[in-house]
């Protein structure tokens, strides 16, 4: 055997092995959700498709004057968590600690300006219904407005951004 060709064969074999590992890694399923669509690609989708295209996490809130509202503030705290809007019109919401908050059915109007949810208990009985004005719905942001009860002209916009946080198992 010619020892001069052995190192070249070893380097070649090593290179092939590294290439194969890289390809397998690139093709592997990591369990992460697909990335959210960009603003350009979300423009080609209906508002319902945009909302159901990713999981959403509450990442901010602002009042009618543009002032940041802490997510722990009583005006925002009830709306904080992870939301999963499914293509079939069902939804599940969880706290940031993965505790169930609510479930039910949802719709978005064709203009993408209003969302309607019907919260249901475990037996499918309606608990309440809520309509929310949508102020932003793109692949990068979903924001809806919560009017302050009894305070005309005052509101809090609840801001959500895409997350790769997997829905907790039931």
């Amino acid at each position: 055997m010619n020892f001069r060709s052995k190192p070249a064969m070893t380097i070649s074999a090593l290179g092939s092995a590294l290439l194969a590992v890289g390809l397998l890694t690139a093709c592997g399923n990591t369990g992460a959700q697909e990335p959210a669509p960009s603003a350009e690609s979300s423009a080609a989708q209906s508002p319902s498709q945009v909302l159901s295209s990713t999981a959403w996490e509450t990442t901010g809130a602002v009042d009618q004057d543009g002032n940041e509202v802490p997510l722990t503030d009583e005006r925002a705290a009830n709306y904080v968590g992870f939301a999963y809007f499914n293509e079939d019109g069902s939804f599940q919401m969880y706290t940031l600690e993965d505790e169930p908050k609510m479930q039910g059915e949802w719709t978005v109007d064709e203009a993408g300006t209003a969302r309607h949810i019907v919260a249901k208990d475990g037996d499918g009985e309606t608990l309440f219904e809520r309509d929310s004005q949508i102020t932003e719905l793109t692949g990068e942001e979903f924001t809806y407005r919560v009017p302050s009860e009894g305070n005309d002209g005052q509101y809090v916009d609840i801001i959500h951004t895409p997350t790769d946080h997997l829905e907790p198992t039931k």
Side-chain angles (χ1 to χ4, degrees):
M1 173 177 253
N2 183 347
F3 287 104
R4 291 183 189 183
S5 63
K6 189 170 183 180
M9 287 182 0
T10 304
I11 291 171
S12 175
L14 179 60
S16 295
L18 288 174
L19 178 62
V21 168
L23 288 172
L24 286 173
T25 302
C27 294
N29 182 0
T30 62
Q33 293 185 355
E34 291 294 316
S38 66
E40 294 80 26
S41 67
S42 65
Q45 295 180 309
S46 72
S48 293
Q49 290 170 324
V50 173
L51 193 59
S52 65
S53 68
T54 189
W56 299 94
E57 178 180 4
T58 312
T59 54
V62 295
D63 69 13
Q64 68 281 344
D65 298 320
N67 298 316
E68 187 173 326
V69 174
L71 295 181
T72 54
D73 185 288
E74 66 182 24
R75 297 172 292 167
N78 191 47
Y79 307 98
V80 175
F82 297 107
Y84 303 86
F85 295 96
N86 304 307
E87 289 180 10
D88 68 359
S90 64
F91 75 87
Q92 295 77 33
M93 294 183 187
Y94 301 86
T95 67
L96 294 177
E97 292 78 31
D98 289 340
E99 295 297 322
K101 277 179 62 170
M102 74 174 91
Q103 62 187 7
E105 300 171 352
W106 68 277
T107 57
V108 172
D109 68 355
E110 288 189 29
T113 59
R115 180 196 65 180
H116 180 78
I117 61 170
V118 180
K120 296 187 174 193
D121 65 16
D123 295 325
E125 297 296 319
T126 299
L127 298 171
F128 65 88
E129 296 188 38
R130 179 183 300 146
D131 290 308
S132 301
Q133 176 187 354
I134 296 173
T135 61
E136 183 80 25
L137 181 55
T138 68
E140 288 85 30
E141 184 179 320
F142 164 48
T143 300
Y144 61 88
R145 183 159 291 168
V146 178
S148 295
E149 276 189 53
N151 293 320
D152 289 342
Q154 294 188 358
Y155 57 84
V156 174
D157 285 346
I158 307 297
I159 304 164
H160 300 79
T161 55
T163 181
D164 61 1
H165 184 271
L166 297 177
E167 184 175 351
T169 57
K170 298 174 184 172

